[in-house]
Amino acid sequence: MENSNMENPKKFNWQEEISKISKNKDFLFGLSTGIALISSVALIILVVFIMSGDRLACMAQPGNGSSSTAGKTAKNFEQCLDSGKYDVQIDDEMMFGLELGVQGTPATFINGYLVSGALPYEMVEQVIEALLAGQEPNFDFLMDYETGEIIKADMPPITDQDHVMGAKNGKITMVSFSDFECPYCARFKLTADQILENYPNDVTLVFKHFPLSFHQYALPAAVASECAAEQGKFKEMHDKLFELNLSQKLNTENIKKAALEIGLK
């Protein structure tokens, strides 16, 4: 009796089954080889795509060897720099300073009282507080080194041509003769900023040019500030030039970059 739960060995054709198995193996081998080949190609394509994507992202990132100002120029500003139109004005301001007794920079007249050098904030504050209180600022640090006297000059009124910062009509007027390349001027600029911040309604600051001849970029910087003033941005250029001074990066190239950074044309 045949067992229905098992194959009948008499009906089993070994050669036929071996042939079928062989054919199946060939098919499976070919199929697996094809799948492996397709997978390999797909993997290579994926890797190339990812690497290409990385390169494009790197190229698109700002700051990789490029600058937002690279290749750009502030044409009107640069034409002004080369025009020489402000040379006489700057010379006149220097002559005015010499007539008042300016011998170096910075030199600041606070309601006419000469403050020579980059005095610290506390000393300048003493002068301002005395004047606000209606007192004479008779401080030793105001005395002239040679004469031992305190210099007080009669200052002309502020005009529309002056570069004014701080209060519009402050009780205290500081007229500062300065050089954009002078390190002491850069230091005093920080003091002046603090004064204007702490006395917003009382102190008016007037900037005057006094570029010293032995400073290579002092005159070009002074001219640059006037060219910026033509476009209503004297204060912005003034601040940029002193930033370059403090970082020891003041030169013609960086002055032109500064013009672009503050939006000059």
Side-chain angles (χ1 to χ4, degrees):
M1 182 178 293
E2 294 180 359
N3 189 343
S4 59
N5 292 323
M6 61 180 302
E7 293 286 344
N8 188 346
K10 291 182 180 179
K11 296 181 179 179
F12 193 86
N13 190 329
W14 288 100
Q15 291 181 346
E16 183 178 345
E17 292 303 319
I18 290 172
S19 177
K20 288 180 181 179
I21 292 171
S22 179
K23 289 180 181 179
N24 288 338
K25 282 185 176 180
D26 290 341
F27 172 77
L28 291 173
F29 178 79
L31 180 62
S32 61
T33 302
I35 292 173
L37 180 61
I38 292 171
S39 299
S40 298
V41 172
L43 180 61
I44 292 170
I45 292 172
L46 179 62
V47 170
V48 171
F49 177 78
I50 292 172
M51 291 178 68
S52 298
D54 284 345
R55 284 198 293 270
L56 288 173
C58 288
M59 291 172 65
Q61 289 174 356
N64 287 350
S66 63
S67 167
S68 60
T69 61
K72 298 180 181 179
T73 59
K75 187 178 294 185
N76 294 342
F77 171 79
E78 292 189 14
Q79 288 176 351
C80 176
L81 276 183
D82 298 332
S83 68
K85 65 167 79 176
Y86 291 108
D87 292 351
V88 173
Q89 175 188 326
I90 293 168
D91 284 344
D92 287 347
E93 290 189 13
M94 286 193 69
M95 290 301 300
F96 176 52
L98 291 170
E99 291 170 2
L100 293 174
V102 174
Q103 298 178 4
T105 57
T108 305
F109 292 86
I110 304 179
N111 280 13
Y113 290 93
L114 176 58
V115 175
S116 295
L119 294 187
Y121 173 84
E122 292 75 17
M123 289 184 176
V124 179
E125 183 183 41
Q126 287 182 54
V127 176
I128 290 172
E129 287 293 336
L131 292 170
L132 287 175
Q135 302 171 358
E136 295 290 326
N138 295 318
F139 302 109
D140 291 344
F141 58 79
L142 292 182
M143 292 181 179
D144 182 74
Y145 293 120
E146 295 181 358
T147 65
E149 297 178 353
I150 294 176
I151 297 176
K152 187 175 188 299
D154 292 326
M155 305 300 292
I158 298 172
T159 70
D160 292 338
Q161 283 69 46
D162 286 318
H163 301 301
V164 180
M165 290 166 266
K168 188 174 182 180
N169 294 299
K171 298 175 183 177
I172 307 297
T173 300
M174 296 174 58
V175 180
S176 186
F177 289 84
S178 193
D179 172 323
F180 284 114
E181 195 172 355
C182 166
Y184 302 104
C185 295
R187 187 184 304 172
F188 188 74
K189 188 260 184 189
L190 300 178
T191 295
D193 285 348
Q194 193 174 355
I195 290 292
L196 294 179
E197 181 179 351
N198 292 339
Y199 295 90
N201 301 315
D202 296 317
V203 178
T204 302
L205 176 65
V206 180
F207 184 92
K208 295 287 187 182
H209 296 293
F210 204 91
L212 301 173
S213 60
F214 54 85
H215 285 155
Q216 181 179 358
Y217 299 107
L219 180 57
V223 173
S225 69
E226 292 297 333
C227 292
E230 285 187 0
Q231 300 185 38
K233 294 194 174 183
F234 173 85
K235 177 66 165 58
E236 291 84 348
M237 180 58 80
H238 165 277
D239 291 349
K240 278 286 186 183
L241 292 170
F242 276 125
E243 285 177 15
L244 291 172
N245 178 324
L246 288 169
S247 62
Q248 298 183 348
K249 294 180 180 178
L250 184 65
N251 57 46
T252 303
E253 180 183 356
N254 286 333
I255 289 172
K256 292 178 179 179
K257 286 181 181 178
L260 290 171
E261 289 170 1
I262 64 174
L264 297 184
K265 298 178 181 179

